[in-house]
Amino acid sequence: MITAEDITIRAGGNVLIDRVSLALRPGSVTAIVGPNGAGKSTLVRALTGEIAPAAGRVAIDGEDLARLAPRALAARRAVLPQASSLAFPYTVHEVVRLGVLAARDRRAANDRVVAALSAVDLSGFGGRLYQQLSGGEQQRVHLARVLCQLPEPCPGGQAAWLFLDEPTSSLDLRHQLMALAAAQRFARAGGGVVAVLHDLNLAARHADRIVVVRKGRIAADGPPAEVLTAGLIEDVFGVALAVGLTGDGTPYVLPHGIAAAS
């Protein structure tokens, strides 16, 4: 379990995260949604140990993240940031290979890279230069790198965690669904997944839990059908629209129904 206990994060004179408490359990996908500038990415950076809160504490299985060595932390969680840039002409295989923390031998490492590329629909791309790929293909390369870092959802019997910050932002529809299906498989196998998403329909379909962030605080937290209501969307996002339900009870919103809230 990953827990945040009353954490506050400041930058200059601004409070970016304001006394947030959160408990994340493995075996499920948690989607973090909210308007631009709400604090979603900042919250993820705190949960992954990238930044330290000014107050409060973040722990994994009861152990403070601040006390874990970088290599030990990397063995427990992998992070896909919003954007990643490379200044050198690496091949796709070399980029994904960066995610391999340990392997029995060179062949085992290469097999892990090949499996990760297959999982993101990039089989056969290993020898291509990263800079020559489209934006969506580059994003999938980094997703493969993250999957390569944590090939097992429960190494040594302890749950591993994937943190994905806007993993679908540059992807076409097919690969959006593929990326989130990979996240679901990781969670169903016992790992934990936290994903920042802007598409509420994707969040509703693929997440077990939705955490809504607004102005650095949690505005709602629970199953999609309980969280994604017309009232909450109008209150948090400032738009008025109807929310429907599919046959299995999954909520959905129709973009063409959006109107400015009064």
Side-chain angles (χ1 to χ4, degrees):
M1 179 183 292
I2 291 180
T3 56
E5 301 172 2
D6 205 28
I7 63 171
T8 295
I9 299 173
R10 301 186 180 93
N14 298 317
V15 176
L16 305 182
I17 297 296
D18 186 13
R19 294 168 294 173
V20 165
S21 293
L22 196 61
L24 302 170
R25 293 173 175 80
S28 63
V29 177
T30 298
I32 299 178
V33 306
N36 292 148
K40 302 182 298 296
S41 295
T42 301
L43 178 58
V44 166
R45 292 174 67 198
L47 293 173
T48 61
E50 182 179 346
I51 57 176
R57 174 178 180 264
V58 179
I60 181 167
D61 293 335
E63 189 170 5
D64 198 320
L65 291 189
R67 297 178 182 174
L68 289 175
R71 186 174 183 85
L73 187 56
R76 300 293 306 280
R77 63 96 181 98
V79 184
L80 179 70
Q82 277 188 32
S84 302
S85 60
L86 291 173
F88 299 100
Y90 288 113
T91 66
V92 168
H93 187 283
E94 288 170 334
V95 174
V96 179
R97 179 66 173 77
L98 294 172
V100 179
L101 294 176
R104 295 187 306 275
D105 51 39
R106 189 183 191 91
R107 177 176 292 182
N110 288 340
D111 289 346
R112 188 182 297 183
V113 171
V114 170
L117 286 173
S118 176
V120 299
D121 198 24
L122 287 177
S123 294
F125 278 64
R128 296 179 60 174
L129 289 176
Y130 172 85
Q131 284 83 355
Q132 295 177 352
L133 303 182
S134 71
E137 289 169 338
Q138 290 180 351
Q139 188 170 25
R140 283 152 55 202
V141 169
H142 285 290
L143 177 57
R145 174 180 54 77
V146 167
L147 294 174
C148 216
Q149 182 179 333
L150 296 175
E152 299 178 37
C154 295
Q158 293 181 310
W161 290 82
L162 295 180
F163 286 86
L164 313 174
D165 195 350
E166 299 190 28
T168 62
S169 60
S170 298
L171 304 186
D172 59 43
L173 179 58
R174 176 171 177 265
H175 290 110
Q176 288 177 6
L177 298 176
M178 181 177 289
L180 293 177
Q184 285 183 310
R185 287 195 299 272
F186 189 88
R188 299 299 177 261
V193 178
V194 178
V196 174
L197 297 171
H198 279 294
D199 189 318
L200 298 182
N201 288 322
L202 286 177
R205 173 56 59 185
H206 294 277
D208 304 291
R209 173 186 180 185
I210 293 180
V211 175
V212 184
V213 179
R214 176 182 57 181
K215 296 181 179 179
R217 306 196 76 176
I218 294 178
D221 180 1
E226 295 180 8
V227 169
L228 294 182
T229 65
L232 178 132
I233 292 173
E234 180 171 347
D235 184 41
V236 172
F237 293 92
V239 292
L241 72 166
V243 176
L245 293 176
T246 64
D248 63 1
T250 301
Y252 66 89
V253 298
L254 296 176
H256 69 258
I258 294 176
S262 59

